[in-house]
């Protein structure tokens, strides 16, 4: 189905919903999504999954007086839309008043049909199947590989229309491609596994070699690893690990968490919270970013939001409701799916480049952590304390000396941000294009080993 037809279908449904809401004397915003996806999985030389799906969902957030409720439907027929609106209005009559939530994006007109985000794809399905099978073959053909238990290719095309009773109407479309594989090694009673992946806006830009080499070479390098002596060590996290760690404590940047009283930094705006060399920004659009969107889930135009500048907490990510609560400008970081309520979300987490050279960051001996286990279950976002399993390497002057496994890394996230030895001068993305950062060497974390 062409994009024009999909957009027209979503538009008709949204118009019906807004008309029904207005008839009831309420205000609302509506999010309608349509998606098409392909998923391929390979197992032992055969295609174990070939799934093609298409779907649509529409969700309404109604506000009548100070009462708010949401409802959704996976059908766009008139009866289903009417039932959805009636359910939301009925639910609103039973909800607790929330005067902070109002429809505030007035007259916003944003039509993001960006060719760079929705690139044409004429790749034959045979080539996509061949890629899924080749990922597995690339791994199992390696000398010490005993299997590749997870191999796959996926693509997704998404269309979204957002509109409200104040005349806002915003449209977004995008397409993404990804592939992944996991290398499993068994040798002399030891086992190691690592995942490699690639994400892009075009099929041709998927890096199969990077995914398979990362998976196999890391698993192979870690296979003979063992614990280090228990103690305090300087640590450098691989990008994906650092992204995981930052995500586990992301509530410290959330205006919604601050409103609920679960943000430990809720009284620290304008005060130092990190090393003076650290600057973190929520960036709306940048080259290689996979979370580019011209508007947030209320319909406001997105922009960059400074979070930490030179160690000082500048502010939080806000939707219009949290901004109203604190009496500050919103940052166009509203997050809401058709099936959910209003929240706060980030775009791209970007840590600014520091002043240290690669040699400075990697000088002397330190631990490089390449894999973390149980990050979210082992992290307390309020206290900042964390403890989880890890694997990686003892390194000296940028060279891996020996692999390390069976250790536990522990510390306090908020303390860690104040104990930084060096921040590199080159910013690189993680695998999914949502996190951009230089190499950062943290001064000391507790390692439980032998």
């Amino acid at each position: 189905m062409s994009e024009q037809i999909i957009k027209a279908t979503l538009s008709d449904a949204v118009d019906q919903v807004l008309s029904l809401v207005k008839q009831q004397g309420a205000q609302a915003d509506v999010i309608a999504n349509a998606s098409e996806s392909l998923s391929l999985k390979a197992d032992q030389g055969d295609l174990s999954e070939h799934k093609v799906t298409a779907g649509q969902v529409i969700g309404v957030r109604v506000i009548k007086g100070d009462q708010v409720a949401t409802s959704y439907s996976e059908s766009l027929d008139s009866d289903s839309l009417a039932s959805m609106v009636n359910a939301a209005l009925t639910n609103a009559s039973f909800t607790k008043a929330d005067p902070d939530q109002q429809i505030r994006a007035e007259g916003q007109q944003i039509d993001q049909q960006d060719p760079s985000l929705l690139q044409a794809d004429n790749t034959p399905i045979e080539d996509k199947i061949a890629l899924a099978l080749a990922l597995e073959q690339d791994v199992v053909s390696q000398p010490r590989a005993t299997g590749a238990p997870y191999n796959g290719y996926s693509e997704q095309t998404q269309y979204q229309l957002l509109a409200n009773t104040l005349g806002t109407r915003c449209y977004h479309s995008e397409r993404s491609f990804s592939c992944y594989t996991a290398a499993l090694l068994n040798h002399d009673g030891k086992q190691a596994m690592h995942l490699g992946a690639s994400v892009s806006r075009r099929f041709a830009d998927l890096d199969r070699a990077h995914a398979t080499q990362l998976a196999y070479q890391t698993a192979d390098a870690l296979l003979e690893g063992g614990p280090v002596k228990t103690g305090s060590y300087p640590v450098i996290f691989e990008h994906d690990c650092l992204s995981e760690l930052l995500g586990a404590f992301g509530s410290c940047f959330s205006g919604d968490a601050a409103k609920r009283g679960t943000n430990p930094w809720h009284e620290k705006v304008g005060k130092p919270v990190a090393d003076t060399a650290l600057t973190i920004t929520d960036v709306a659009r940048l080259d290689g970013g996979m979370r580019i969107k011209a508007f947030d889930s209320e319909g406001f135009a997105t922009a960059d939001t400074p979070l930490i500048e030179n160690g000082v907490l500048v502010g939080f990510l806000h939707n219009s409701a949290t901004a109203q609560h604190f009496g500050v400008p919103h940052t166009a970081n509203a997050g809401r799916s058709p099936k959910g309520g209003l929240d706060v979300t980030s775009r791209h987490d970007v840590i600014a480049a520091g002043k240290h050279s690669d040699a400075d960051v990697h000088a002397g001996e330190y631990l490089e952590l390449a894999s973390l286990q149980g990050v979210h279950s082992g992290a307390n976002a309020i206290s900042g304390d964390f403890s989880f399993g890890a694997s990686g390497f003892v390194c000296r002057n940028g060279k891996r000396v020996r692999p390390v496994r069976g250790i536990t890394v522990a510390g306090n996230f908020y303390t860690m941000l104040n104990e930084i030895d060096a921040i590199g001068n080159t910013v690189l993305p993680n695998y999914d294009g949502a996190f951009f950062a230089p190499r950062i060497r943290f001064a000391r974390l507790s390692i439980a080993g032998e």
Side-chain angles (χ1 to χ4, degrees):
M1 189 180 298
S2 71
E3 182 175 9
Q4 291 74 19
I5 293 174
I6 292 172
K7 186 178 181 183
T9 301
L10 297 180
S11 184
D12 288 345
V14 165
D15 288 343
Q16 290 182 58
V17 172
L18 293 177
S19 176
L20 290 167
V21 170
K22 289 178 181 178
Q23 290 171 23
Q24 297 298 319
Q27 295 288 311
D29 54 19
V30 186
I31 297 176
N33 283 358
S35 63
E36 303 165 347
S37 64
L38 168 67
S39 175
L40 305 171
K41 294 182 181 179
D43 183 34
Q44 298 183 18
D46 294 317
L47 202 63
S48 61
E49 177 180 287
H50 183 160
K51 183 187 297 183
V52 179
T53 58
Q56 57 197 15
V57 60
I58 187 169
V60 63
R61 177 177 65 125
V62 299
I63 300 176
K64 195 162 187 178
D66 287 338
Q67 293 175 291
V68 184
T70 62
S71 186
Y72 73 92
S73 171
E74 294 182 350
S75 171
L76 303 186
D77 68 74
S78 297
D79 289 344
S80 297
L81 297 180
S83 295
M84 177 187 74
V85 172
N86 288 334
L89 289 167
T90 300
N91 292 341
S93 66
F94 294 101
T95 61
K96 183 180 178 181
D98 184 359
D100 289 331
Q101 280 202 56
Q102 298 293 329
I103 304 301
R104 295 191 173 91
E106 184 172 359
Q108 301 289 311
Q109 302 291 320
I110 303 172
D111 194 337
Q112 181 175 287
Q113 297 186 65
D114 186 337
S116 69
L117 303 185
L118 184 68
Q119 301 198 38
D121 178 46
N122 299 312
T123 308
I125 184 61
E126 292 80 7
D127 290 358
K128 298 171 181 179
I129 293 173
L131 172 60
L133 295 172
L135 288 163
E136 180 185 35
Q137 183 57 38
D138 287 350
V139 171
V140 299
S141 65
Q142 298 299 317
R144 296 213 295 176
T146 53
Y150 308 107
N151 311 275
Y153 163 84
S154 66
E155 62 185 58
Q156 186 170 54
T157 306
Q158 296 180 311
Y159 311 92
Q160 183 178 91
L161 181 65
L162 180 153
N164 67 25
T165 47
L166 296 182
T168 284
R169 202 171 195 87
C170 304
Y171 178 75
H172 171 85
S173 57
E174 67 172 89
R175 178 174 289 129
S176 62
F177 303 83
S178 65
C179 65
Y180 63 89
T181 186
L184 176 65
L185 281 70
N186 284 290
H187 185 70
D188 290 341
K190 295 183 178 181
Q191 185 180 91
M193 187 173 73
H194 199 76
L195 184 75
S198 176
V199 179
S200 71
R201 295 285 182 192
R202 298 195 314 144
F203 177 84
D205 292 337
L206 289 176
D207 195 338
R208 163 187 158 192
H210 170 76
T212 56
Q213 289 171 14
L214 175 64
Y216 176 75
Q217 291 175 4
T218 305
D220 186 50
L222 289 171
L223 184 63
E224 304 298 334
V228 292
K229 290 184 178 180
T230 296
S232 178
Y233 293 80
V235 170
I236 295 176
F237 293 90
E238 285 291 328
H239 262 46
D240 292 323
C241 294
L242 185 57
S243 176
E244 280 187 85
L245 185 60
L246 186 65
F249 294 94
S251 61
C252 68
F253 297 124
S254 168
D256 187 62
K259 180 181 176 181
R260 289 184 280 106
T262 58
N263 183 335
W265 283 350
H266 70 280
E267 293 182 345
K268 292 186 177 292
V269 175
K271 299 177 181 179
V273 294
D275 188 283
T276 56
L278 188 67
T279 292
I280 303 178
T281 306
D282 177 66
V283 177
R285 185 182 185 112
L286 74 171
D287 290 343
M290 295 297 292
R291 293 186 181 176
I292 296 171
K293 197 172 182 182
F295 56 91
D296 73 352
S297 294
E298 290 184 278
F300 290 109
T302 54
D304 296 352
T305 303
L307 299 171
I308 293 176
E309 287 187 350
N310 300 320
V312 175
L313 180 65
V314 177
F316 301 129
L317 303 175
H318 286 291
N319 56 42
S320 72
T322 62
Q324 174 71 18
H325 180 81
F326 289 106
V328 298
H330 71 78
T331 63
N333 283 98
R336 185 170 85 81
S337 73
K339 296 183 178 182
L342 189 65
D343 202 347
V344 170
T345 189
S346 63
R347 297 290 174 213
H348 305 90
D349 298 315
V350 179
I351 299 178
K355 298 180 179 179
H356 294 93
S357 68
D358 190 64
D360 291 334
V361 176
H362 298 94
E365 190 164 289
Y366 57 92
L367 282 183
E368 174 191 46
L369 298 185
S371 177
L372 304 176
Q373 298 87 45
V375 172
H376 288 274
S377 61
N380 185 319
I382 296 178
S383 69
D385 293 335
F386 63 84
S387 177
F388 31 75
S391 302
F393 304 90
V394 172
C395 299
R396 187 176 300 117
N397 297 323
K399 303 293 184 182
R400 291 175 174 176
V401 176
R402 71 180 182 91
V404 175
R405 299 174 65 193
I407 61 172
T408 299
V409 57
N412 183 281
F413 178 77
Y414 306 117
T415 300
M416 187 180 83
L417 295 184
N418 285 279
E419 297 181 342
I420 295 175
D421 281 341
I423 299 179
N425 55 19
T426 302
V427 175
L428 297 170
N430 73 327
Y431 87 96
D432 67 359
F435 175 73
F436 293 71
R439 287 281 220 170
I440 302 177
R441 177 170 170 150
F442 296 97
R444 61 189 64 82
L445 287 173
S446 297
I447 302 297
E450 57 185 12

